[in-house]
Amino acid sequence: MNVAIYSNSSFGGCYEYAKQIAQAYCNNAEIKNCYALFPKGGGKGCSCAVPKLMKDKIFSRKILLLGKIYFIIRSILNPLKAFRFAKKNNINLFIFNDFDQVSSFFWTRMFKKRTFKVAIILHDPDRTAYFSRKKWSESSMQRIMDVVDIAFYHEKLPDLPYYKNSDQRILYAKIPHGIYPPTPDDLDIKQTIKKIKDSGLKIVSITGNIRTEKNYRLAIQATAKISNIALLIAGRTVTTQENIDDYKNYAKENNVEDRVFFLTKYLNNSEMSTILKYSDIVLLYYSQTFKSQSGILNSLTPFSPKLIVSDTDSGMAYSARRFKLAKMVVPDNVDALIDAIKNYPEQNPYEKSWKVFEEYSSWKRNIEIQISTYQKILQTKNDK
């Protein structure tokens, strides 16, 4: 069985996920060849990496127009390059770990001529707000699902029109996310956290890409009401709509600028692990609108942390509830958040549950489900 994994980025959570499943496929006895298609320069540390795709970033953020033009071009050409690679190498299963929704009206035409099975991993399944117009978002995602044979999702799939599958053509399967291995501490960040803690404050952290759904304003309000905590916001902005200065100004308005710390950069694995490891409480207090799973749970697993999760309908909240990993809190409610932080027990009552979650969420099990689902769809075809 020959497998190709498509990853159009060379950084971030989906990129790390692609490297992990590629390695797991390589270690599986049923796999003859596995090729992980990354942008040029990507795939470091992955033994089956094939860095043939166009680079994901060659222009500075300051050159917005050229950056957008290049993004469109690579979003069209990369899937076509991958399609040709799949045909040339007799691929049996082609897996979209990332997918180019912005250009799906172009490249999906080629994939309709495929001789291999196509799978997609729906890390962020709610694609309705991808474009400014809902109709464009739904139509572009429907184009992608029209060329998909197997769709994998984490814990929960939202009820959206492009997943209706009325003809039962697509086989849907739930897979565990997989656990990211811990990395050595980042000494600079460790020292920064130690300095804050030595002042008598507990660290409450929000990590990852800066996005409104993470409820920074409510976390800042809560910090203003709890005198013995410091809030650490760590991550980088990924859209021009997010302005970190707005949050800094909001901290000043609430008179907590001395207790709200910002580390605004892309966090490598070591930096992320260090923050999660040494935080007293980790906040995944996302807004009601958040519908996806989050790899952060799997990054947290080695540390069995104190965790607060908003009690929403997202895949992430579903996992936290199912495995009893966190204190579940009513979403978008500052008073509920304040109460959760202030009254979190000194001894973490959820610590043992993380071991159960770890056993469930192995990369080996992830791949075994993917392979068995592929075999099932072949069997279904043969039975008809």
Side-chain angles (χ1 to χ4, degrees):
M1 179 179 172
N2 295 326
V3 177
I5 300 165
Y6 179 84
S7 177
N8 61 13
S9 60
S10 58
F11 60 89
C14 285
Y15 168 65
E16 296 297 336
Y17 186 103
K19 290 200 295 182
Q20 293 291 338
I21 62 168
Q23 206 60 56
Y25 264 114
C26 289
N27 295 337
N28 190 288
E30 296 187 52
I31 303 304
K32 181 180 179 182
N33 294 298
C34 177
Y35 307 96
L37 299 171
F38 292 109
K40 292 176 181 177
K44 290 181 175 62
C46 178
S47 62
C48 53
V50 183
K52 285 184 172 291
L53 304 178
M54 295 172 68
K55 286 187 175 182
D56 36 2
K57 291 207 175 186
I58 62 172
F59 293 105
S60 164
R61 279 188 170 190
K62 295 178 181 178
I63 314 176
L64 288 177
L65 180 58
L66 287 178
K68 288 180 179 179
I69 293 172
Y70 179 74
F71 172 73
I72 296 295
I73 292 172
R74 73 183 293 274
S75 295
I76 295 172
L77 295 183
N78 274 344
L80 301 183
K81 286 165 71 77
F83 180 84
R84 289 195 294 269
F85 180 90
K87 287 191 66 176
K88 181 180 178 181
N89 290 276
N90 298 314
I91 296 300
N92 304 110
L93 178 63
F94 184 97
I95 302 169
F96 280 107
N97 181 66
D98 292 306
F99 45 90
D100 300 270
Q101 186 173 346
V102 69
S103 58
S104 64
F105 296 97
F106 298 95
W107 60 262
T108 50
R109 298 177 185 182
M110 181 72 76
F111 273 80
K112 287 182 178 179
K113 304 173 184 178
R114 66 195 182 279
T115 56
F116 45 82
K117 295 300 180 185
V118 172
I120 190 170
I121 301 177
L122 298 166
H123 298 290
D124 186 5
D126 189 349
R127 314 299 299 176
T128 309
Y130 184 80
F131 292 110
S132 57
R133 294 191 180 183
K134 181 179 177 181
K135 185 176 181 180
W136 293 356
S137 298
E138 292 183 345
S139 180
S140 61
M141 192 61 195
Q142 185 62 61
R143 289 291 185 108
I144 295 174
M145 298 308 294
D146 285 344
V147 299
V148 166
D149 302 293
I150 303 168
F152 298 113
Y153 62 95
H154 298 300
E155 299 309 327
K156 188 164 185 182
L157 189 69
D159 183 17
L160 294 166
Y162 33 86
Y163 300 138
K164 289 300 183 186
N165 196 30
S166 56
D167 58 0
Q168 301 297 304
R169 181 184 58 80
I170 301 173
L171 189 58
Y172 286 89
K174 180 171 69 173
I175 54 175
H177 189 288
I179 302 299
Y180 294 117
T183 56
D185 290 347
D186 181 279
L187 298 181
D188 290 337
I189 289 180
K190 183 178 179 180
Q191 184 60 34
T192 298
I193 290 176
K194 182 179 183 302
K195 186 176 179 181
I196 296 170
K197 287 190 171 187
D198 285 347
S199 70
L201 298 173
K202 292 183 177 181
I203 297 283
V204 176
S205 66
I206 307 175
T207 62
N209 291 336
I210 305 296
R211 50 196 295 180
T212 305
E213 290 173 315
K214 293 186 179 180
N215 272 334
Y216 304 104
R217 291 177 182 272
L218 290 186
I220 290 170
Q221 289 178 40
T223 303
K225 297 293 184 180
I226 307 172
S227 60
N228 67 334
I229 67 169
L231 177 65
L232 175 58
I233 296 173
R236 62 167 196 152
T237 56
V238 290
T239 70
T240 54
Q241 297 173 334
E242 293 290 348
N243 188 343
I244 202 70
D245 288 335
D246 290 343
Y247 297 120
K248 290 180 178 180
N249 290 332
Y250 194 69
K252 286 182 180 179
E253 291 172 14
N254 283 269
N255 300 312
V256 288
E257 66 270 24
D258 60 333
R259 289 194 289 121
V260 179
F261 300 86
F262 295 87
L263 181 62
T264 52
K265 57 169 290 193
Y266 169 71
L267 301 173
N268 62 36
N269 292 343
S270 180
E271 291 167 334
M272 175 70 85
S273 288
T274 304
I275 293 170
L276 299 179
K277 181 179 180 180
Y278 293 105
S279 293
D280 294 290
I281 296 176
V282 176
L283 286 189
L284 297 180
Y285 192 62
Y286 287 33
S287 68
Q288 186 75 52
T289 57
F290 181 74
K291 302 294 183 184
S292 301
Q293 180 59 283
S294 174
I296 191 69
L297 282 180
N298 305 71
S299 297
L300 283 163
T301 301
F303 313 121
S304 305
K306 292 182 179 180
L307 181 64
I308 290 175
V309 175
S310 50
D311 198 359
T312 67
D313 199 33
S314 71
M316 179 182 69
Y318 177 86
S319 294
R321 280 193 300 269
R322 177 184 175 190
F323 290 96
K324 299 180 173 61
L325 301 177
K327 179 176 282 193
M328 306 302 296
V329 180
V330 175
D332 306 316
N333 185 312
V334 68
D335 291 330
L337 178 59
I338 291 169
D339 182 71
I341 296 172
K342 289 177 71 173
N343 296 308
Y344 212 113
E346 284 299 320
Q347 183 65 36
N348 186 359
Y350 310 103
E351 187 171 358
K352 292 182 180 179
S353 300
W354 286 96
K355 299 300 180 186
V356 179
F357 181 66
E358 184 174 15
E359 291 172 5
Y360 165 81
S361 300
S362 71
W363 295 109
K364 181 175 180 289
R365 186 167 181 272
N366 176 309
I367 296 309
E368 287 172 348
I369 295 172
Q370 291 195 35
I371 294 172
S372 66
T373 306
Y374 168 74
Q375 292 169 340
K376 184 177 180 181
I377 205 166
L378 291 183
Q379 185 63 46
T380 303
K381 181 180 178 182
N382 292 335
D383 290 343
K384 288 183 179 180

